[in-house]
Amino acid sequence: MTPTIVIIVIFLYFLLLFGISILTSEKGEKQSQTFFTANKSSKWYLVAYGMVGATLSGVTFISVPGMVAKGGWGYLQFMMGNMLGYLVIAYVLIPLFYSKQFVSIYEYLKDRFGVKASKTGALFFMLSQTIGAAFRLYLAALVLQIAFFEAFNIPFAVSVFVIILLIWLYTFQGGIKTIVWTDTLQTTFLLLAAVWTIYTIGSDLGLTPSSMVQTISESEMSTIFNWDWKSPTFFWKQLLAGMFITISMNGLDQNIMQKNLTCKSKGEAQKNVLSFAVVFFLSTVVFLSLGVLLYEYAGYNDILIPAKADELYPTLALNYFGTFTAIVFLLGIIAAAFSSADSALTALTTSFCVDFLRLKNGIESNKKRKLVHIGFSLLLFVVIVVFRAVNNDSVVSDVFKAAGYTYGPLLGLFAYGIFSTNQIDDKKVLVVCLLAPILSFVLNTFSKELFFGYQFGFEILLINAGLTILGLWFISKK
């Protein structure tokens, strides 16, 4: 695929996004309300469908197909836990957040504990979201750098700046209202890429739909359940991991919940969450099926499997499936990456404006909100450039994993707020929420020495949350 084709695809794609931005933007004093809440007018089925693309992200788009050689379909055990987590979100968190019409979900912490607790929750969200969004966009930028920018000797920093500028241009006016519609478009491209690739492989290998299903079901890579309790992919461990990680990283994450809160009622938001959970599960089945077929195709054509599983799908799509499939794949990876980055940028802006600046509607609020939006855009740019300067994938990946420790305090804060009636010393909440992940990290690092060879998996999230709850109990007021 030539650089000319790549730039045409990118140009047309963003032209479409800009068109949506113009149609969904609001002018005047209500602009901030539209940016933050979409005026509570989003259709629940559009939100549900669009959230698939934002949740899958560019990392999952590439990684899930590649992981089947090593883990089979064991990832579905985790997804089953996701389904349980979404039930908790639908019937516990959605009613909680809709009861007082919160714009930022961390307003609940202000209502329950105080201003410092609200700011602490928002701070931990912003830290994890900034690193997470930068990491995902960094991977997508690397693909575009190789596919296009390098051919014209454009430095990586310049290409990242252009990408973030484009995202800023189509989100700064309409905010979450624009995101709801662009997510719908981007989910379509993402799923289209997977389905079209499956069709291409089936055609090349002479497989009918029924024989394709048979090939997938009979493959050793399609094993789902693991009942070995010593294994890190033991069924019950994966099920609980999927449940609690979903509650923490989706239910207590402004990025995801802001979209749910754009529905006009609690009932519609619940329908959105439950239908999204089903569509997301089925989408994962599609990507796992694609993974099996990618390995079958490589084996049939004696193609050398890349050392890194994440490189399998891009390698085959860009070099072996033809120009049209390469274009569809490029659209898919762009859609997956940017649907995560644009919604993260909007959520970061919303949380900072609401939880720290306490902005409301009005012309002055619109000006400040736009400045905050620019600030977070520049912050994402700096973090991505730093990732590139480090030039060590394992270090960057470790930073991304470390950001996951911030969800423990969030889970602990909300759990303590929901399931206890105690008040806390609001001034000390930040200290508790800093100590909990630090202690969790130490326990995780030295778990072999401390616990007779035991190694933590997802349980470290629960340990982190438990330490936060314990700390909150210590600073509770009698």
Side-chain angles (χ1 to χ4, degrees), residues 438-454:
I438 292 172
L439 289 174
S440 300
F441 180 78
V442 172
L443 288 173
N444 192 36
T445 303
F446 299 101
S447 61
K448 283 186 177 181
E449 293 83 356
L450 294 172
F451 304 110
F452 309 102
Y454 182 80

Side-chain angles (χ1 to χ4, degrees), residues 4 10 23 29 54 72 83 92 101 107 111 137 177 189 206 269-270 280 298 369 378 393 396 418 462 472 475:
T4 303
I10 295 173
L23 292 174
E29 292 190 6
M83 302 290 277
V92 177
Q101 297 295 305
E107 288 181 283
D111 193 61
L137 200 55
K177 187 175 182 180
F189 281 124
Q270 289 173 321
F280 185 47
R369 190 252 308 156
L378 292 174
D393 289 343
V396 173
I418 294 169
L462 299 182
L472 295 174
I475 64 170

Side-chain angles (χ1 to χ4, degrees), residues 260-282:
N260 294 323
L261 297 177
T262 64
C263 297
K264 65 181 180 181
S265 68
K266 178 189 75 174
E268 291 211 351
Q270 289 173 321
K271 285 193 287 187
N272 157 53
V273 171
L274 296 175
S275 56
F276 156 72
V278 174
V279 175
F280 185 47
F281 185 88
L282 295 176

Side-chain angles (χ1 to χ4, degrees), residues 91-131:
Y91 292 108
V92 177
L93 296 179
I94 288 291
L96 184 70
F97 297 144
Y98 263 85
S99 63
K100 295 194 177 181
Q101 297 295 305
F102 293 131
V103 174
S104 165
I105 62 173
Y106 309 112
E107 288 181 283
Y108 166 77
L109 298 176
K110 174 178 175 288
D111 193 61
R112 178 66 178 82
F113 295 126
V115 173
K116 295 287 174 56
S118 171
K119 290 184 176 181
T120 298
L123 180 66
F124 274 78
F125 158 72
M126 285 187 273
L127 177 62
S128 60
Q129 196 65 213
T130 300
I131 295 174

Side-chain angles (χ1 to χ4, degrees), residues 54 125-126 128-130 132-134 136 167 171 176 179 183 253-256 258-259 337-351 373 376 380:
F125 158 72
M126 285 187 273
S128 60
Q129 196 65 213
T130 300
R136 297 181 187 98
I167 293 173
T171 59
I176 195 64
I179 297 302
D183 274 359
D253 187 297
Q254 177 67 18
N255 186 4
I256 298 297
Q258 187 171 358
K259 297 168 188 176
F338 293 124
S339 63
S340 296
D342 56 19
S343 59
L345 185 56
T346 301
L348 287 165
T349 301
T350 299
S351 181
H373 201 55
F376 275 111
L380 280 179

Side-chain angles (χ1 to χ4, degrees), residues 99-407:
S99 63
K100 295 194 177 181
Q101 297 295 305
F102 293 131
V103 174
S104 165
I105 62 173
Y106 309 112
E107 288 181 283
Y108 166 77
L109 298 176
K110 174 178 175 288
D111 193 61
R112 178 66 178 82
F113 295 126
V115 173
K116 295 287 174 56
S118 171
K119 290 184 176 181
T120 298
L123 180 66
F124 274 78
F125 158 72
M126 285 187 273
L127 177 62
S128 60
Q129 196 65 213
T130 300
I131 295 174
F135 177 73
R136 297 181 187 98
L137 200 55
Y138 166 72
L139 296 179
L142 286 178
V143 173
L144 292 176
Q145 182 72 16
I146 294 169
F148 171 70
F149 291 107
E150 276 189 1
F152 298 96
N153 295 317
I154 297 175
F156 182 77
V158 175
S159 61
V160 170
F161 182 82
V162 170
I163 291 168
I164 292 178
L165 176 64
L166 291 172
I167 293 173
W168 180 84
L169 285 172
Y170 77 79
T171 59
F172 87 100
Q173 196 87 307
I176 195 64
K177 187 175 182 180
T178 299
I179 297 302
V180 167
W181 284 96
T182 55
D183 274 359
T184 301
L185 174 72
Q186 291 173 151
T187 297
T188 300
F189 281 124
L190 188 151
L191 295 178
L192 177 63
V195 172
W196 180 260
T197 306
I198 289 173
Y199 170 78
T200 301
I201 294 173
S203 298
D204 287 354
L205 298 182
L207 298 174
T208 64
S210 59
S211 61
M212 197 180 298
V213 171
Q214 185 178 359
T215 299
I216 294 169
S217 61
E218 292 178 353
S219 172
E220 293 181 356
M221 292 181 284
S222 297
T223 303
I224 298 175
F225 298 103
N226 181 356
W227 301 107
D228 179 8
W229 67 273
K230 295 180 180 179
S231 172
T233 58
F234 175 48
F235 172 75
W236 291 108
K237 192 172 184 177
Q238 287 290 293
L239 189 77
L240 290 173
M243 178 179 174
F244 283 102
I245 288 174
T246 295
I247 294 170
S248 302
M249 300 185 71
N250 288 356
L252 304 180
D253 187 297
Q254 177 67 18
N255 186 4
I256 298 297
M257 291 304 292
Q258 187 171 358
K259 297 168 188 176
N260 294 323
L261 297 177
T262 64
C263 297
K264 65 181 180 181
S265 68
K266 178 189 75 174
E268 291 211 351
Q270 289 173 321
K271 285 193 287 187
N272 157 53
V273 171
L274 296 175
S275 56
F276 156 72
V278 174
V279 175
F280 185 47
F281 185 88
L282 295 176
S283 301
T284 304
V285 171
V286 170
F287 278 95
L288 289 170
S289 300
L290 171 61
V292 174
L293 292 173
L294 287 170
Y295 280 102
E296 291 287 341
Y297 180 90
Y300 183 83
N301 291 284
D302 293 323
I303 298 172
L304 182 66
I305 303 294
K308 294 182 179 180
D310 287 357
E311 296 177 1
L312 176 65
Y313 189 14
T315 299
L316 295 180
L318 295 174
N319 299 302
Y320 293 95
F321 293 154
T323 301
F324 184 77
T325 302
I327 291 172
V328 174
F329 168 80
L330 183 62
L331 282 171
I333 189 63
I334 292 172
F338 293 124
S339 63
S340 296
D342 56 19
S343 59
L345 185 56
T346 301
L348 287 165
T349 301
T350 299
S351 181
F352 189 84
C353 289
V354 174
D355 296 311
F356 284 89
L357 301 183
R358 308 292 177 192
L359 294 185
K360 297 180 180 180
N361 290 327
I363 300 299
E364 190 63 30
S365 293
N366 290 338
K367 292 179 181 178
K368 290 181 179 178
R369 190 252 308 156
K370 289 177 181 178
L371 289 174
V372 172
H373 201 55
I374 293 172
F376 275 111
S377 300
L378 292 174
L379 180 60
L380 280 179
F381 168 75
V382 170
V383 175
I384 293 171
V385 170
V386 169
F387 281 170
R388 178 67 168 182
V390 171
N391 198 27
N392 187 319
D393 289 343
S394 62
V395 171
V396 173
S397 181
D398 287 342
V399 172
F400 177 63
K401 291 176 183 176
Y405 279 89
T406 59
Y407 286 100

